[in-house]
Amino acid sequence: MNSNADKFFRFCPHCGRRYFGRQRPDVLVCGECKFQFYQNSKPTASAFFGDGKGRIMLVKRAINPKKGWWDAPGGFLENGEDPVRGLRREMKEELGVSITDVDFLGVYMDTYLHGYKAATLNIIYQAHIGSGAIKPMDDISGFRWFAPRAIPWRRLAFRWLTPALRDWVRLQK
């Protein structure tokens, strides 16, 4: 993925000089000290929750990008954060709940507009709500349970959600 990060990161974090060029599409190189700034995928952790009736919970985004579109609850991991620990933190921040029975579902690539186009490495889990009542907080304006046939495929916030939801639906059969 060729990002547009050089339009946003103009100065070398090592020596403070302007970047001079690129060594490869996603590597900015300082013309002065030769420091190389690599654009790596940004990891996220999200969860799918089933309700025991064959339905899945999706959340409505309260912020851009894709404000008002459907998403899986979750978010970006902190630097060095374990994905499951990050998932637990995100569920507290976004839904006010603790989670149990966390099972890995898959990893899906996508992009996210952070002002610059960043590649994302989206780690998705299946989980159960352990304690707490679901209360949309942080960057969520609401939530809804969807039967597989009623999933709003054309209003999903990000491309990675389509293959992830298809995998989840297939596992429910």
Side-chain angles (χ1 to χ4, degrees):
M1 181 196 97
N2 191 354
S3 77
N4 60 348
D6 54 341
K7 294 178 183 172
F8 296 89
F9 302 113
R10 296 184 183 136
F11 298 93
C12 176
H14 185 259
C15 73
R17 303 285 170 122
R18 275 198 176 273
Y19 279 110
F20 184 71
R22 291 177 177 267
Q23 181 179 10
R24 294 190 308 265
D26 289 321
V27 181
L28 302 177
V29 180
C30 178
E32 184 69 27
C33 73
K34 306 300 182 213
F35 175 80
Q36 297 179 13
F37 181 76
Y38 290 84
Q39 288 296 296
N40 302 85
S41 299
K42 310 297 183 215
T44 73
S46 301
F48 288 152
F49 299 105
D51 68 353
K53 300 175 186 175
R55 299 181 304 175
I56 189 169
M57 183 183 72
L58 296 176
V59 297
K60 190 169 271 196
R61 293 181 58 78
I63 62 170
N64 279 317
K66 300 291 189 170
K67 181 178 179 179
W69 289 56
W70 295 101
D71 198 358
F76 287 97
L77 296 176
E78 302 293 334
N79 189 37
E81 186 175 36
D82 176 82
V84 173
R85 179 170 277 154
L87 179 68
R88 291 181 189 285
R89 175 185 51 77
E90 285 288 341
M91 296 308 103
K92 276 286 190 194
E93 291 174 5
E94 293 194 351
L95 299 173
V97 299
S98 64
I99 59 173
T100 64
D101 305 316
V102 178
D103 291 315
F104 177 75
L105 179 64
V107 175
Y108 304 85
M109 297 301 298
D110 204 348
T111 58
Y112 189 90
L113 192 58
H114 259 307
Y116 69 97
K117 185 170 67 172
T120 57
L121 181 77
N122 303 281
I123 306 165
I124 185 77
Y125 297 90
Q126 297 182 92
H128 292 99
I129 295 171
S131 64
I134 299 172
K135 180 181 176 191
M137 304 186 307
D138 198 27
D139 56 357
I140 294 174
S141 64
F143 71 95
R144 188 168 148 201
W145 296 94
F146 292 94
R149 283 190 242 146
I151 292 171
W153 298 103
R154 294 178 186 250
R155 292 289 295 172
L156 296 175
F158 304 105
R159 284 188 327 248
W160 75 268
L161 288 163
T162 298
L165 283 164
R166 285 187 179 137
D167 287 348
W168 183 85
V169 168
R170 189 172 39 255
L171 288 172
Q172 304 313 301
K173 295 179 179 178

